Amino acid sequence: MRSLLWLAVVGLAVAEDGLAAWLRYARVPSASRHLGKLPSAVVTLNATKGYPVHTAGQELVDGIGGLFGKKLTVAKSKPKGTTATVGTVSAYVDKNPSAAKGLPDLVEDGFYLKISKGNVLILGQNERGALYGAFHYLSVIAQGNVSDFTLTSNPDAPVRWVNQWDNMQDGGTHGSVERGYGGDSIFFWDGHIREDLTRAGQYARLLASIGINAVVANNVNANASILTPENMDGLARIADVFRPYGVQLGVSLNFAAPQLLGGLDTFDPLDKTVVNWWQGIADNLYKRIPDMAGYLVKANSEGQPGPMTYNRTLADGANLFARTLQPHGGIILFRAFVYDHRSLNQTLDWKADRANAAVDYFDGLDDKFEDNVVIQIKYGPIDFQVREPVSPLFTHLRRTGATVELQITQEYLGQQAHVVYLAPMWKELLDFDLRVDNKPSTLKSIVSGKRFGQKLTGYAGVVNVGTNTTWLGSHLAMSNLYAYGKLAWDPEQTSTGILKEWTTLTFGHDKLVHDVITKISMESWPAYEDYSGNLGIQTLTDILLGHYGPNPGSQDGNPWGQWTRADNDTIGMDRTVWNGTGFAGQYPPEIAAMYENIETTPDNLLLWFHHVPYTQKLKSGKTVIQHFYDAHYKGSSTAQTFVTLWEKLKGRIDKERYEHVLFRLIYQAGHSLVWRDSVNQFYFNKSGIPDELGRVGNHKYRIEAEKMELKGYKSYRVSPFEAASGYHCVVTETNSTVGTATTKLKVPSGKYDLAVNYYDMALGNSTWELFVDRKLVGKWKGDLEYELGRAPSPYIDGQTAARKTFRGVRVKKGSELKVVGRPDGLEPAPIDYISVLPEGTVD
């Protein structure tokens, strides 16, 4: 396995398709000048093949060979010359008893590095820590730093897990990987564990390099068949390819498995036959996987079974699994994502609020959980929105440890088709002070266990990589996985510092490359928030379908609880105690008082906590509605700059990755305009309040397709209405009819950028051609469902809306512009509008 991985890395250092990610080991500038400061041999202490210390030795050989072209020898004892010695503290002290006094204290997984005149000492508290130290050393020298230094590094928290929402088989509502945008599962196919687990081993290697110590491979919406004997054997094979990297396997469970798989007539957690059944499952798993990390359980949420089915508490449910794990040393992460959508009624109950659910359900249970239970809490009270307040549940669990659940996969944040660097968001959340008992209580201090003195706490990241060679579907999105691991190890690191490391390791040392990626990345989250959902209103995606395109109206009028309560005059959720849902009162008094008062609530969370008129003045002096209009124009304008910035890097980055990123940035620039116009038009229609700058609904460069001369095309009313510029688009009259839309241009003669907004539905692959005076300007195919990993949609809406732009086209006044659309399958070659733009202009 190890040799296969190395061959993959060497080959891909040339191909640069992303599979090597930040472990490219590409040659550093002026490598030959540094050879004297590097070790010449590697000594591994008590290394066993297939375990982390042996892997660490191989990584040092491979890494220094790739980075500097220096071939290291591997020795069993210290040879002459400079040496890299790697092992555990105990193994080192066994050979050097006098060295014990000079070594620092290390916690589990911690490591010690000492670099001196080409000699390298890497010691881990355990084997995994030794591997982490080796990866850290390689990262440092890959960034061009070969100077002497000493470092002691301990992880901030013991639980640093990754969740994969991989399904046992493709198909169904969510495909192979639920909310995954990087291809099919690397673990499962056709109801079984894959025979070829090469990618699983490569994934473990990446995760180990950033300090991740466990992976739950299967979906939280678990299929009970994961526990068949055949699939248990398959899980053991996954654990086998993880083990060389110190990554442990976790398993997600279906609470009703005793009934669904075991043939029992109940899954009551207090029933003795159920308890015995689960104990048998645990024993059988640990017989196959002695180092299994434990379980992840989602219960009584979104229709999933759980203990409350039998009027038992969530603690009863969690403890059922905890006790079966205790003889084996495993832990259970029990998700706090618990709510009953069947009981939420926006119309009948002003105080109904999904945000209240976590605290309501876990209230009074803190001291009821077994010691090996950890509560996994989403960072915000709803569901991975572009901005949410920190969940108050973190302040209610003082005895039972918690992990913060972050989402690397961008479910609501552009699905890797939009670049959104998430480290700044996570830093803001982790640094937030919850003021428990009027004392400093940052989220990071709580999930580290320091604030309440808990032993089992940490981080859980929903990643959802796939078989795509970019892992997540986008090269730039991998900065989020890297940042997750780095912050889980040390939340004091800065967003820009992490980004600089990742950029160097992924794209090299070119200063312009660094500057461009830094600017795009650091502006990406504010831009996305600006052109999606502002002021705490949530992301405004279509929550009923793919969680991707704009659909503000989908937030309300349903039982899913992501409400905005927008009407013709007012907007926002009243979560105050005095008049609303009472959610603000779930926080400690200082924070509750801040959110209770509209004057002290930060503007960026105003609509999360307060129901106000559209004319409510913000601290900036703007009204809520004008802020909406301005922010959406600002955010989409920023997204346009990403394209021109990236184009500066042509020739400085390998062609494959350059073009991959450019394609997505061009798409994002176009889709940000769809977001801007959809949200602004929706709230303009809702409120009746015009944009002070006259932009909303006024697009002087556009030609609406339905107003062109049509042949074979017909006008079609789009739903939701705001997903089309003029509420309509054109579609071919039949699925076999070629459509043409023609118009005479009234613009002065000159060069223009011609943009066509169209819809690319997952029902076929229509083709379009654009002509000016019968001369072909360009043609394209509706195949974004293959090019982008974002959730496919069969509808004409904000999710499928896209834009194709042809720059610098020469036209004359009176020129004939024609679009020809050829439908395919059930996709009727839809067109929204054409923009004729002075060069460099954005409509």
Side-chain angles (χ1 to χ4, degrees), residues 20 53 71 117 131 134 169 173 182 256 318 329 386 391 410 426 459 505 559 588 633 742 771 776 798:
V53 170
K71 186 176 181 180
K117 298 178 180 179
L131 177 58
Q169 55 192 17
T173 303
V386 71
S391 171
Q410 296 166 222
W426 297 336
Y459 296 77
L505 299 175
Y633 270 89
T742 308
F771 295 87
L776 179 66

Side-chain angles (χ1 to χ4, degrees), residues 223-525:
N223 188 323
S225 69
I226 193 73
L227 300 177
T228 65
E230 178 188 0
N231 282 330
M232 284 191 190
D233 291 341
L235 291 173
R237 291 193 295 108
I238 296 175
D240 289 344
V241 300
F242 281 3
R243 196 167 290 112
Y245 302 98
V247 175
Q248 294 175 267
L249 178 68
V251 180
S252 184
L253 303 178
N254 185 306
F255 204 95
Q259 189 176 76
L260 298 172
L261 183 67
L264 303 184
D265 60 3
T266 180
F267 53 89
D268 182 347
L270 300 187
D271 185 282
K272 288 185 179 180
T273 59
V274 171
V275 173
N276 291 336
W277 189 87
W278 279 116
Q279 188 64 63
I281 290 293
D283 294 345
N284 278 315
L285 280 169
Y286 276 94
K287 186 181 298 182
R288 292 169 168 87
I289 313 169
D291 57 354
M292 189 177 78
Y295 295 148
L296 171 66
V297 174
K298 173 182 178 180
N300 290 118
S301 179
E302 298 181 321
Q304 289 289 315
M308 291 189 291
T309 305
Y310 296 93
N311 294 318
R312 310 304 189 190
T313 69
L314 295 174
D316 291 331
N319 290 340
L320 162 67
F321 302 109
R323 291 169 186 143
T324 68
L325 292 169
Q326 284 168 352
H328 306 285
I331 68 173
I332 172 175
L333 270 57
F334 195 80
R335 291 183 96 218
F337 187 58
V338 178
Y339 74 99
D340 184 2
H341 67 277
R342 295 166 298 185
S343 67
L344 292 172
N345 191 305
Q346 178 181 9
T347 305
L348 299 180
D349 187 0
W350 176 255
K351 295 184 180 295
D353 190 358
R354 170 175 158 183
N356 288 339
V359 170
D360 285 350
Y361 281 116
F362 282 84
D363 192 40
L365 297 179
D366 183 28
D367 61 351
K368 307 298 183 185
F369 293 102
E370 294 286 336
D371 290 342
N372 59 331
V373 174
V374 184
I375 307 303
Q376 182 168 312
I377 307 171
K378 290 189 179 185
Y379 64 78
I382 295 292
D383 198 9
F384 303 127
Q385 298 298 292
V386 71
R387 184 175 295 278
E388 295 185 55
V390 174
S391 171
L393 183 58
F394 289 106
T395 70
H396 290 254
L397 298 174
R398 305 195 186 192
R399 180 189 173 280
T400 302
T403 61
V404 58
E405 184 177 335
L406 304 174
Q407 195 175 45
I408 291 87
T409 188
Q410 296 166 222
E411 177 183 352
Y412 289 93
L413 306 181
Q415 299 184 359
Q416 283 92 279
H418 293 233
V419 58
V420 183
Y421 179 50
L422 295 171
M425 175 203 285
W426 297 336
K427 281 287 292 179
E428 188 172 305
L429 293 163
L430 292 169
D431 290 343
F432 185 78
D433 191 347
L434 288 154
R435 301 296 299 167
V436 179
D437 298 331
N438 300 317
K439 297 177 181 178
S441 307
T442 58
L443 177 58
K444 63 190 174 190
S445 73
I446 293 173
V447 298
S448 72
K450 296 181 179 71
R451 178 62 180 86
F452 300 130
Q454 300 148 327
K455 292 182 179 180
L456 279 177
T457 56
Y459 296 77
V462 182
V463 182
N464 297 355
V465 300
T467 53
N468 189 291
T469 60
T470 65
W471 294 99
L472 286 170
S474 160
H475 292 295
L476 294 187
M478 287 295 279
S479 63
N480 290 325
L481 178 54
Y482 187 83
Y484 168 70
K486 290 295 180 176
L487 288 172
W489 186 275
D490 177 11
E492 299 300 330
Q493 295 187 72
T494 65
S495 302
T496 51
I498 292 170
L499 184 62
K500 182 180 179 182
E501 282 183 21
W502 174 81
T503 303
T504 301
L505 299 175
T506 305
F507 290 105
H509 296 257
D510 188 307
K511 184 178 184 303
L512 183 60
V513 173
H514 277 249
D515 291 345
V516 166
I517 290 177
T518 298
K519 186 171 179 59
I520 290 174
S521 299
M522 295 306 293
E523 291 182 356
S524 61
W525 174 44

Side-chain angles (χ1 to χ4, degrees), residues 34-44 57 60-65 68-85 115-121 137 141:
H34 304 303
L35 297 182
K37 297 181 178 181
L38 299 169
S40 299
V42 174
V43 175
T44 55
L60 290 169
V61 171
D62 297 346
I64 292 174
F68 296 94
K70 185 172 184 177
K71 186 176 181 180
L72 274 61
T73 60
V74 179
K76 293 184 178 179
S77 59
K78 183 172 173 57
K80 292 181 180 180
T82 53
T83 306
T85 301
I115 319 300
S116 178
K117 298 178 180 179
N119 290 297
V120 181
L121 178 62
Y137 169 65
I141 63 176

Side-chain angles (χ1 to χ4, degrees), residues 736-757:
S736 60
T737 303
V738 175
T740 63
T742 308
T743 190
K744 294 288 185 181
L745 298 179
K746 300 177 182 179
V747 298
S749 300
K751 282 188 175 182
Y752 292 84
D753 295 338
L754 303 183
V756 183
N757 269 54

